[in-house]
Amino acid sequence: MRKNVIYNMVLLWTILSGSVMYAQTVKGVVSDSSGPLPQVNVAVKGTAVNTATDFDGNYTINNVDSNAVLVFSYIGFLTKEIPVKGNTVINVVLVEDSQKLEEVVVVGYTSQKKASITGAVSTVDLGDLSKTRVADVAQALQGQVAGVFVAANTGAPGDGIKLRIRGEGTLGKNDVLYVIDGVPTRDISFLNQSDIKSMSVLKDAAAGAIYGSRAASGVVLITTKSGLKGRSSFDVDMYSGIHFATNLPKMLNTDQYLTVKDQAWHNTAGNAASAISPYTADRNRTDLADTDWQDELFTTGISKNFQASASGGSENVQYLISGGYFGHDGIVVEDNDKFERFNFRSNVNADISDRFKVGTNLQISYAKQDKLSSSGDVPGVIRHALIRPPVLGVYKDVSDPTYTESNPYTDLPFYTGPNDGWSKIYEYTSNPIAIVHFTDDKRNTFQTFGNLYGEYALLRDKSLKFKSNLGVDIKFSHNKNFASNFGDANINDTSNQYYGLGRNNRPNGLDENRGQEMTFTFTNTLNYVKTFKELHSVNALLGMENINSKAAAIGGSRQNFDNTTDPFRYLDYGSTTNAYSSGSASNWSLLSYFASGTYGYDNKYFASATMRADASSRFGPNNKWGYFPSVSAGWVVSQESFMKKSDWISNLKLRASWGEAGNQELPNNAYETLVSSTGGVVNVVRYGNPDLKWETTTQTNFGVDLGILNNKLTFTADYFTKTTDDILLTVGLPAVSVGVIERTFVNAGEVNNKGLEFGVNFQNNDHEFKYGINANIATLTNKVNKLHEFVKNISDDYTHTKTEVGQAISSYYGYQFDGIYQNTGEVSSHLFSNTNGTQPGDIKFKDINSDGQINADDRTFIGNPIPKVTYGVNFNASYKNFDISFLLQGVEGVDRYNDLKQILNYDSRPFNSTTAVLDSWNGEGTSNTTPRLTFNNNGGGNVSSVFVEDASYLRLKNLEIGYTFNKSVLGIKDMRLYASGQNLFTITDYTGLDPESTSLIDKGTYPQSKSFIFGVRVKL
């Protein structure tokens, strides 16, 4: 008996010893074609032993038999089985499943499988994104995500874009928060599009509340590319494009112009019907031109792009180095609308040990812009190209006594001498070609952006990790604008200090400003990710964040430069008379604590909660802290047993969420009282408000995700309502009691946005011809619910807008156009109280209060500048080596005030006009839309709905055709040639230059161009 016991013990020890001898630890990295994959399941086949990859795709699995088989599975990718065969390092590249269901996406400070996400999070297809070749990465999101509105401010190179997630939520700044590799910023124009690995849009509060204080307008998370273990590559992407101005209005030529102005002269009070107008008399002149100012102004633009990256890595160190150049010379003549950007990025990750890793991701960029007035702003290059009469030439005759080689441009019409020495019958617009030539406004920005991090796995199974991340955003700017004096002299007084100088930029001057802004973000997180018994999953996060930002600026200006050549365009060479200098500095800080947790049961039921507490230096001691919670839940109905018979449904998930986010976008120290001292007397400049507190945006979201036919077809839908209260406003105090001082900040007002969002994706890769469609559409209703009791409305006379309770933010306000008066009887019956000189052919406005006269009391709301519907359609297809894709994008239900229409076709001054005025009212029944031609007031000078146009549009944003060479042909990994067209056509009723412009008032916007791009991408 005893011998048997001893024998059995020895046998058991031998078996166990053998098991240990042949068991081993296997580690490696799992990736796809674009980089590491987090949370891939790694299991020993036939056993319960498993683990998951970390954020950088690393895994370690213990007690693996040398003859075992590892199974790598990841939703959205084909499962791969690899025999161990005694290897201790196994790196795996997974291939995407054509019937992709879900993927792991980056969310607040961590990553999650999309199946477990319960908030409204949208990921961007980088295949579609990469084919939209734009300078600003944010614009590549246009038409890609439901509920995300993106538009270029103008078409000028280097001008910014406007991005809104689920509408305008506040009356102040509505800019979204971008988080790049864990570092927050409000601007991503410095990014190189080729460096981006993934983008996620956090739309509801449950997804974005973890970023609390600055997430009220939504969050866009961006992860950049990094190197892979055991894989080296060298990638090059370069293209060149040509750009053209399109959809330009048809303007009057000289013959038409003289005919129209002759008719206006005869319709003007005081001019005899039998008299010969000066426009008819001038037909005999030999010095009249027939200038197409648009043709003179616009030219073919050129863009160039070159991006290159090298990446690779050993078992312990991975790297990626990239550099690039982007340049765009715009569609306006000369090169004073040019933009250039240089990028350099270095990304290094190192495994110091099995549980400790460090890394750095640093980008340096330099951008320079030659800035033209691009939105109708002074000096209005585009605006003057449209209103300048065609009878004027671009250049003076060399025999003109005012002609000079340095300034050969026509200026005042038919100039003959100072003051009244020009023909005012042609008005005195500026020569747009001269404006372009003499513009010297350069904007330069040097920026360093990146992070340094360290991560340590506190537990052996790597389920608990501590990460410390230091982010830096340092920006240096240098703006230099030299305003040259040019044009005709128009001062007759020889004693005047400006006698003999041209009328533009008199006197010449230089404005130069330099600034710097430094923001440091220090973040520490503790993240626990664990699955228990294959039923319970936990993803918990604790963290703190400290953000400090400092800015400083210095500037100066001088005038009267004797020598205006480039070497002398520095402040030292200007006159010390009227010299000006300035300097300022500011800083703000934010201290935050946050926590989040997601629990999942049996891959069917998920619940998440977050809490963030922020303390901002921008608020006083009474309300320095803001608290922003959120909760959400998801139910994967398709995992239930009662759904097994419905095998055509691959995925069905219901989601619901509620949460709050904050907004601190107001001036630093706004809560404090400001005073000034003059001669020992202290005066209040602005009264403070120590009770000033955070704006809070509360959002509720209900969503459903559906996949059918093995997820060939997927569908998502969301309904949301978002309310922002305690909006930060300024209130003017009564001057009779406090004097004239600055407005005081208060918390007041409430704005609501609500809408529906739908997205559908179909992808068929079953045959040699592969194709897919990705479409989205979203609705939005914006309304102001409440303002301060002393702020009945917020009016802006420049944009003709008013913000008032019950209306959308910045709604247009003016008279309601009601046609054209056809006869005197119609005038007298409508204006029975006061005709105020109105004649047949004048514009008829609605008498809102029915008092028989038109005055300020008859103004009403006449338009909404916030789009009610946004949509986009992506199509892609490939056959063998050929591929094609296109993107259609558009908006519906949006209005814009077309001030350019007003000055061209309704103004009573002799500017040029579009050919639409050829159909102006010229007798009863001739027109009910365009008033009579006259130099008197015909109602066209009033702000009215006739100038508020529907700016809805459908635009073919991108069409690309490519060919990929077989690897065996060239002996390289990959080479693709492509041709791309952008903004190829636009369908719209808007008569301005560009319906996409984001300006509330269109005074002549630099239009987006039609582009043709040719490029090549090579992987070595």
Side-chain angles (χ1 to χ4, degrees):
M1 184 69 169
R2 183 176 178 184
K3 288 182 179 181
N4 288 337
V5 172
I6 295 174
Y7 173 81
N8 290 331
M9 291 180 64
V10 171
L11 179 61
L12 178 61
W13 179 85
T14 302
I15 293 173
L16 292 175
S17 298
S19 298
V20 173
M21 288 175 62
Y22 289 99
Q24 61 189 62
T25 297
V26 179
K27 60 183 179 179
V29 62
V30 182
S31 59
D32 65 355
S33 58
S34 62
L37 290 174
Q39 296 195 7
V40 175
N41 187 64
V42 184
V44 178
K45 189 174 182 178
T47 73
V49 179
N50 69 89
T51 187
T53 59
D54 64 14
F55 183 76
D56 295 300
N58 298 303
Y59 75 91
T60 300
I61 189 165
N62 300 315
N63 299 322
V64 180
D65 189 280
S66 60
N67 296 317
V69 174
L70 294 185
V71 180
F72 299 85
S73 58
Y74 186 50
I75 294 177
F77 289 79
L78 296 174
T79 299
K80 180 173 283 190
E81 297 186 1
I82 298 180
V84 175
K85 295 182 179 179
N87 294 315
T88 58
V89 177
I90 298 178
N91 296 321
V92 179
V93 178
L94 296 183
V95 178
E96 287 190 68
D97 188 348
S98 60
Q99 317 305 332
K100 181 168 61 174
L101 170 62
E102 313 224 30
E103 66 271 12
V104 169
V105 296
V106 178
V107 291
Y109 300 97
T110 184
S111 61
Q112 286 182 235
K113 287 185 179 180
K114 195 172 182 181
S116 68
I117 293 176
T118 51
V121 178
S122 294
T123 57
V124 182
D125 188 319
L126 292 182
D128 295 333
L129 186 72
S130 64
K131 294 178 182 178
T132 305
R133 305 183 192 285
V134 292
D136 193 319
V137 172
Q139 193 174 355
L141 288 171
Q142 193 171 37
Q144 304 285 356
V145 180
V148 177
F149 170 78
V150 184
N153 292 334
T154 77
D159 276 8
I161 64 100
K162 177 180 179 180
L163 190 151
R164 295 291 182 265
I165 299 177
R166 294 184 166 179
E168 306 277 345
T170 181
L171 303 179
K173 292 184 179 180
N174 282 276
D175 297 335
V176 305
L177 178 68
Y178 301 98
V179 182
I180 307 170
D181 296 321
V183 183
T185 181
R186 292 289 187 184
D187 174 41
I188 58 173
S189 60
F190 61 89
L191 272 182
N192 178 352
Q193 187 173 346
S194 299
D195 284 337
I196 295 177
K197 177 187 175 184
S198 66
M199 298 181 74
S200 301
V201 181
L202 312 184
K203 295 191 288 187
D204 69 342
I210 191 69
Y211 292 101
S213 62
R214 297 190 290 169
S217 297
V219 182
V220 177
L221 303 181
I222 299 174
T223 302
T224 58
K225 295 178 181 177
S226 58
L228 302 178
K229 293 181 180 180
R231 296 177 62 192
S232 297
S233 66
F234 183 75
D235 300 343
V236 175
D237 190 354
M238 52 185 171
Y239 65 78
S240 183
I242 52 177
H243 306 259
F244 308 94
T246 59
N247 302 318
L248 299 177
K250 188 171 180 58
M251 306 300 295
L252 300 177
N253 59 30
T254 289
D255 179 67
Q256 294 169 323
Y257 174 82
L258 292 175
T259 299
V260 164
K261 298 310 170 188
D262 174 72
Q263 186 176 349
W265 188 88
H266 281 293
N267 289 338
T268 299
N271 295 329
S274 60
I276 297 176
S277 79
Y279 300 99
T280 297
D282 272 357
R283 285 185 177 275
N284 298 320
R285 295 181 62 156
T286 60
D287 57 347
L288 293 185
D290 189 11
T291 304
D292 184 338
W293 285 102
Q294 293 181 107
D295 187 57
E296 296 291 340
L297 180 68
F298 293 117
T299 186
T300 301
I302 301 293
S303 64
K304 296 178 180 179
N305 180 80
F306 179 84
Q307 309 290 340
S309 65
S311 64
S314 64
E315 185 63 29
N316 295 321
V317 179
Q318 303 85 48
Y319 69 90
L320 181 144
I321 300 172
S322 70
Y325 166 81
F326 174 83
H328 185 185
D329 193 354
I331 56 176
V332 168
V333 294
E334 303 196 27
D335 60 355
N336 290 330
D337 61 339
K338 191 174 183 179
F339 175 78
E340 293 180 289
R341 186 184 64 218
F342 302 84
N343 290 90
F344 173 79
R345 175 180 291 277
S346 175
N347 189 335
V348 179
N349 298 286
D351 295 324
I352 304 302
S353 70
D354 183 51
R355 295 161 66 176
F356 180 46
K357 67 184 304 180
V358 295
T360 182
N361 190 346
L362 185 66
Q363 168 160 310
I364 297 174
S365 67
Y366 172 65
K368 54 181 181 179
Q369 180 188 21
D370 290 284
K371 176 67 176 172
L372 277 181
S373 59
S374 56
S375 58
D377 49 322
V378 175
V381 173
I382 309 297
R383 188 176 180 87
H384 281 285
L386 295 171
I387 67 175
R388 191 162 174 84
V391 299
L392 306 174
V394 178
Y395 302 100
K396 295 177 180 177
D397 190 287
V398 292
S399 62
D400 191 315
T402 63
Y403 174 90
T404 63
E405 189 173 334
S406 61
N407 184 10
Y409 304 98
T410 61
D411 182 33
L412 296 173
F414 306 112
Y415 177 74
T416 58
N419 279 343
D420 296 331
W422 67 84
S423 179
K424 289 189 176 181
I425 63 171
Y426 300 110
E427 196 52 50
Y428 32 93
T429 60
S430 293
N431 186 327
I433 312 304
I435 294 174
V436 173
H437 179 78
F438 289 107
T439 295
D440 183 13
D441 187 356
K442 301 186 183 301
R443 316 284 177 90
N444 299 276
T445 303
F446 178 87
Q447 188 166 2
T448 298
F449 188 97
N451 69 306
L452 173 69
Y453 77 91
E455 182 182 81
Y456 184 74
L458 299 174
L459 300 180
R460 185 170 298 176
D461 64 358
K462 298 185 179 179
S463 59
L464 180 63
K465 294 180 180 180
F466 173 78
K467 185 174 184 178
S468 188
N469 188 82
L470 176 62
V472 60
D473 184 0
I474 302 176
K475 184 185 299 183
F476 298 95
S477 62
H478 177 205
N479 299 335
K480 185 178 180 181
N481 182 11
F482 190 88
S484 296
N485 174 235
F486 67 95
D488 291 329
N490 62 345
I491 294 178
N492 199 29
D493 183 4
T494 58
S495 64
N496 189 293
Q497 61 174 328
Y498 300 131
Y499 175 77
L501 298 182
R503 69 185 179 104
N504 296 290
N505 299 328
R506 187 171 57 204
N508 63 39
L510 171 66
D511 286 305
E512 188 167 5
N513 300 278
R514 295 179 183 268
Q516 66 179 36
E517 184 175 351
M518 297 182 291
T519 302
F520 297 93
T521 303
F522 184 48
T523 308
N524 294 283
T525 59
L526 195 62
N527 191 199
Y528 181 72
V529 181
K530 187 75 172 179
T531 299
F532 301 93
K533 298 181 180 180
E534 298 185 1
L535 285 177
H536 309 275
S537 62
V538 176
N539 190 334
L541 179 81
L542 289 174
M544 65 81 61
E545 190 168 72
N546 188 11
I547 301 177
N548 285 281
S549 182
K550 295 182 179 181
I554 189 170
S557 66
R558 287 194 182 185
Q559 299 175 333
N560 292 312
F561 285 72
D562 294 328
N563 189 329
T564 61
T565 58
D566 286 345
F568 293 90
R569 293 187 175 187
Y570 294 92
L571 292 173
D572 274 353
Y573 300 106
S575 170
T576 56
T577 303
N578 295 327
Y580 174 78
S581 63
S582 65
S584 64
S586 63
N587 64 84
W588 62 270
S589 61
L590 190 70
L591 176 63
S592 309
Y593 299 95
F594 51 88
S596 71
T598 297
Y599 169 75
Y601 177 75
D602 198 20
N603 290 322
K604 291 189 290 187
Y605 313 109
F606 297 93
S608 297
T610 67
M611 170 59 78
R612 179 159 177 143
D614 290 303
S616 172
S617 63
R618 291 177 173 171
F619 298 100
N622 293 353
N623 290 297
K624 188 173 291 293
W625 286 91
Y627 302 93
F628 309 104
S630 76
V631 292
S632 57
W635 177 25
V636 185
V637 184
S638 55
Q639 291 291 331
E640 297 289 356
S641 58
F642 60 79
M643 292 291 293
K644 298 303 180 183
K645 293 183 179 180
S646 303
D647 53 2
W648 59 278
I649 296 180
S650 313
N651 177 54
L652 176 60
K653 182 169 73 170
L654 304 179
R655 296 176 281 105
S657 68
W658 173 93
E660 294 181 341
N663 182 17
Q664 60 155 1
E665 296 302 317
L666 76 166
N668 296 327
N669 307 310
Y671 67 92
E672 293 184 313
T673 297
L674 299 183
V675 298
S676 65
S677 177
T678 304
V681 178
V682 177
N683 297 301
V684 174
V685 176
R686 181 194 71 203
Y687 280 102
N689 179 5
D691 294 322
L692 206 61
K693 59 183 179 181
W694 296 82
E695 282 187 12
T696 301
T697 297
T698 303
Q699 191 169 176
T700 302
N701 191 95
F702 299 97
V704 58
D705 301 320
L706 174 66
I708 61 176
L709 302 176
N710 257 353
N711 290 296
K712 280 186 179 180
L713 178 63
T714 59
F715 172 81
T716 182
D718 284 271
Y719 167 78
F720 74 92
T721 178
K722 180 172 72 170
T723 301
T724 303
D725 55 17
D726 290 326
I727 289 178
L728 297 163
L729 298 174
T730 57
V731 176
L733 302 179
V736 293
S737 58
V738 299
V740 179
I741 62 174
E742 293 182 10
R743 298 168 68 90
T744 296
F745 279 87
V746 298
N747 289 101
E750 181 179 288
V751 173
N752 177 260
N753 288 276
K754 60 183 177 181
L756 293 166
E757 299 168 352
F758 303 96
V760 63
N761 181 75
F762 179 78
Q763 190 70 41
N764 190 339
N765 295 335
D766 293 346
H767 307 286
E768 199 167 19
F769 176 72
K770 302 174 175 61
Y771 64 95
I773 299 175
N774 184 1
N776 65 82
I777 188 170
T779 68
L780 179 71
T781 302
N782 175 274
K783 187 173 73 170
V784 178
N785 291 339
K786 179 171 66 172
L787 291 174
H788 192 273
E789 60 178 316
F790 298 126
V791 181
K792 300 302 180 185
N793 58 69
I794 301 173
S795 299
D796 187 337
D797 293 335
Y798 177 79
T799 59
H800 312 313
T801 60
K802 179 183 285 190
T803 298
E804 188 172 286
V805 172
Q807 302 293 327
I809 294 175
S810 297
S811 293
Y812 296 113
Y813 190 77
Y815 296 99
Q816 186 70 49
F817 178 78
D818 197 25
I820 304 296
Y821 289 108
Q822 301 297 321
N823 50 58
T824 55
E826 191 173 323
V827 173
S828 59
S829 64
H830 188 67
L831 302 178
F832 55 83
S833 178
N834 181 12
T835 63
N836 197 28
T838 301
Q839 299 182 27
D842 289 349
I843 292 177
K844 180 181 180 181
F845 300 112
K846 284 188 177 180
D847 186 6
I848 300 296
N849 59 4
S850 302
D851 64 353
Q853 61 180 338
I854 300 298
N855 54 32
D857 295 334
D858 295 300
R859 292 178 299 170
T860 186
F861 288 96
I862 53 178
N864 179 359
I866 299 176
K868 294 182 177 65
V869 178
T870 57
Y871 59 91
V873 178
N874 273 290
F875 174 82
N876 65 84
S878 64
Y879 178 73
K880 294 185 177 179
N881 295 64
F882 290 94
D883 64 86
I884 185 172
S885 64
F886 67 77
L887 167 64
L888 289 166
Q889 177 267 332
V891 300
E892 287 291 330
V894 58
D895 300 314
R896 182 159 298 109
Y897 194 94
N898 190 351
D899 181 81
L900 194 61
K901 175 182 178 180
Q902 183 173 18
I903 197 171
L904 287 176
N905 298 342
Y906 292 78
D907 200 281
S908 59
R909 292 169 289 180
F911 297 130
N912 198 13
S913 304
T914 72
T915 54
V917 300
L918 298 177
D919 297 321
S920 296
W921 187 91
N922 193 27
E924 187 170 351
T926 55
S927 175
N928 199 38
T929 56
T930 307
R932 65 191 178 98
L933 297 167
T934 179
F935 294 142
N936 299 133
N937 180 22
N938 60 4
N942 297 90
V943 176
S944 73
S945 60
V946 72
F947 309 121
V948 178
E949 295 188 326
D950 182 1
S952 303
Y953 69 88
L954 168 64
R955 176 168 279 172
L956 179 57
K957 291 297 296 184
N958 187 75
L959 171 64
E960 182 163 301
I961 301 173
Y963 180 84
T964 302
F965 289 88
N966 293 324
K967 298 178 182 179
S968 58
V969 174
L970 300 174
I972 59 178
K973 292 181 181 178
D974 178 44
M975 187 174 85
R976 178 175 179 267
L977 298 178
Y978 57 87
S980 177
Q982 296 187 334
N983 300 322
L984 295 182
F985 71 78
T986 302
I987 300 173
T988 184
D989 292 330
Y990 186 66
T991 63
L993 295 179
D994 190 358
E996 190 178 318
S997 166
T998 61
S999 300
L1000 286 172
I1001 182 169
D1002 184 357
K1003 289 179 171 288
T1005 300
Y1006 191 119
Q1008 292 202 65
S1009 56
K1010 178 187 292 185
S1011 309
F1012 297 96
I1013 295 171
F1014 306 91
V1016 59
R1017 187 192 66 207
V1018 179
K1019 290 180 177 291
L1020 301 178

